[in-house]
Amino acid sequence: MKTAWVFPGQGSQVLGMGVDLLEIASAKATFDRATEILGWSIVDICQNDEVKLANTRYTQPCLYVMECILVDLLQHQGLQPDAVAGHSLGEYVALYAAGAFDFETGLQLVKRRAELMDLASEGGMTALLGFDRAQLESALADTEGVVLANDNSSAQAVISGTVAGIATVVGKIKVKRAIPLNVSGAFHSPMMATAAAEFGKLLAPITFNNTKIPVLSNVAPTATTDGVELKERLNKQITGSVRWREISLQLPELGIQQAIEVGPGKVLGGLIKRTCEGISVVQIGTRSELESVVPG
């Protein structure tokens, strides 16, 4: 059975995530290595500090480390996916799983990304549930300062940009629910250009390996193993749209029959099921879920 591993991003975090992995020696060693790199403890925050866990500066490294540990445990048992993809922050875990860079390199990138995104203070984001796509596309085309940030499924999207621009778009369309998101800025929009430029300084000298597993990227939802191309795609991600609906539609084109969501929550699995018929979904976010797939 051809399988894709998919990795959730910010918003999927939950207090207590990853703590049940501490009894595994290799997992504890990775948590300890992360503490050395970050200067603070992933475990302490995931165990005890819901406020910090919800803060972008901490959320993103916590998710990256926990999901990378699950990748390591799956691969240690000889399992490999036929393709990988991650939603926003999750793309870094997908690149790690595919072998584009090592754990430490990815964590340094995620640490800087999280710091820069946390400093964003302009604009906002609003989730839209139940809308007419043609109507939304028309409203976005006619409104300055707002873009489609996350194209998650046919019925779920997130727009990002100026507060006025978002209000204008929401006022122009019929939408079942419009939910302002609790984020510091207009992520995945041109308003993140300054953060993206700063991040690019850290990314520029890093060499991405050609990967052993095809990666579907947020800004270009087609599979590639070319390291240079994957790096260029990632470089565009902070300001670019997360094209998850198109990633989901690519899975059956690649012959994928099963998607394993590696990380907390069931968001990506739900989006894939609503977008693609015939793809089964498995969740691995805890030690017990891991052991149900990999006995012993």
Side-chain angles (χ1 to χ4, degrees):
M1 179 185 294
K2 293 191 77 172
T3 300
W5 292 359
V6 297
F7 303 96
Q10 194 165 347
S12 293
Q13 70 275 3
V14 60
L15 196 67
M17 68 179 191
V19 175
D20 59 344
L21 302 172
L22 276 168
E23 297 173 8
I24 303 171
S26 61
K28 185 178 185 305
T30 301
F31 280 125
D32 291 344
R33 179 69 184 120
T35 299
E36 294 174 10
I37 293 169
L38 296 167
W40 48 269
S41 169
I42 296 278
V43 173
D44 286 351
I45 289 175
C46 287
Q47 256 182 326
N48 307 308
D49 200 330
E50 196 164 11
V51 173
K52 276 191 174 179
L53 185 58
N55 181 307
T56 296
R57 185 179 294 259
Y58 299 100
T59 309
Q60 295 185 10
C62 285
L63 285 167
Y64 173 81
V65 171
M66 181 228 175
E67 292 175 21
C68 285
I69 287 171
L70 290 170
V71 167
D72 291 344
L73 294 171
L74 287 165
Q75 291 181 337
H76 182 69
Q77 294 297 324
L79 299 182
Q80 288 285 9
D82 296 286
V84 291
H87 192 284
S88 193
L89 179 278
E91 186 170 322
Y92 290 76
V93 189
L95 289 165
Y96 168 71
F101 46 63
D102 61 23
F103 171 77
E104 289 81 2
T105 298
L107 185 54
Q108 292 284 8
L109 289 171
V110 167
K111 177 178 183 288
R112 187 62 179 142
R113 179 186 195 265
E115 291 166 351
L116 289 166
M117 292 179 76
D118 185 49
L119 290 172
S121 59
E122 293 185 313
M125 303 178 78
T126 291
L128 306 175
L129 305 178
F131 57 90
D132 181 272
R133 180 166 295 270
Q135 195 179 53
L136 174 60
E137 289 174 353
S138 176
L140 288 170
D142 292 341
T143 308
E144 289 187 6
V146 60
V147 298
L148 181 63
N150 295 359
D151 182 8
N152 289 330
S153 73
S154 61
Q156 185 189 123
V158 177
I159 56 176
S160 180
T162 65
V163 174
I166 290 171
T168 299
V169 168
V170 171
K172 286 181 177 180
I173 66 173
K174 289 182 180 179
V175 57
K176 188 174 181 181
R177 292 182 69 194
I179 307 166
L181 300 184
N182 183 23
V183 294
S184 59
F187 300 165
H188 296 293
S189 84
M191 293 180 71
M192 296 298 294
T194 300
E198 282 298 311
F199 178 76
K201 295 176 184 177
L202 176 62
L203 183 64
I206 295 172
T207 299
F208 280 37
N209 304 319
N210 293 335
T211 61
K212 56 184 180 288
I213 301 162
V215 181
L216 293 91
S217 304
N218 287 191
V219 301
T222 54
T224 186
T225 58
D226 183 84
V228 173
E229 185 174 356
L230 288 168
K231 178 179 175 179
E232 181 57 31
R233 290 177 173 189
L234 191 69
N235 194 39
K236 297 175 180 176
Q237 198 219 57
I238 291 177
T239 56
S241 296
V242 177
R243 296 164 63 182
W244 192 259
R245 179 180 62 88
E246 293 172 81
I247 287 174
S248 298
L249 291 170
Q250 276 291 305
L251 298 180
E253 296 295 319
L254 295 172
I256 298 298
Q257 299 162 288
Q258 181 185 68
I260 299 179
E261 184 167 4
V262 182
K266 300 179 180 179
V267 172
L268 299 185
L271 293 173
I272 289 169
K273 282 196 287 188
R274 285 192 288 274
T275 304
C276 304
E277 292 184 8
I279 293 184
S280 63
V281 175
V282 175
Q283 172 64 37
I284 299 178
T286 65
R287 184 174 180 179
S288 62
E289 289 169 343
L290 177 72
E291 291 173 348
S292 72
V293 175
V294 187

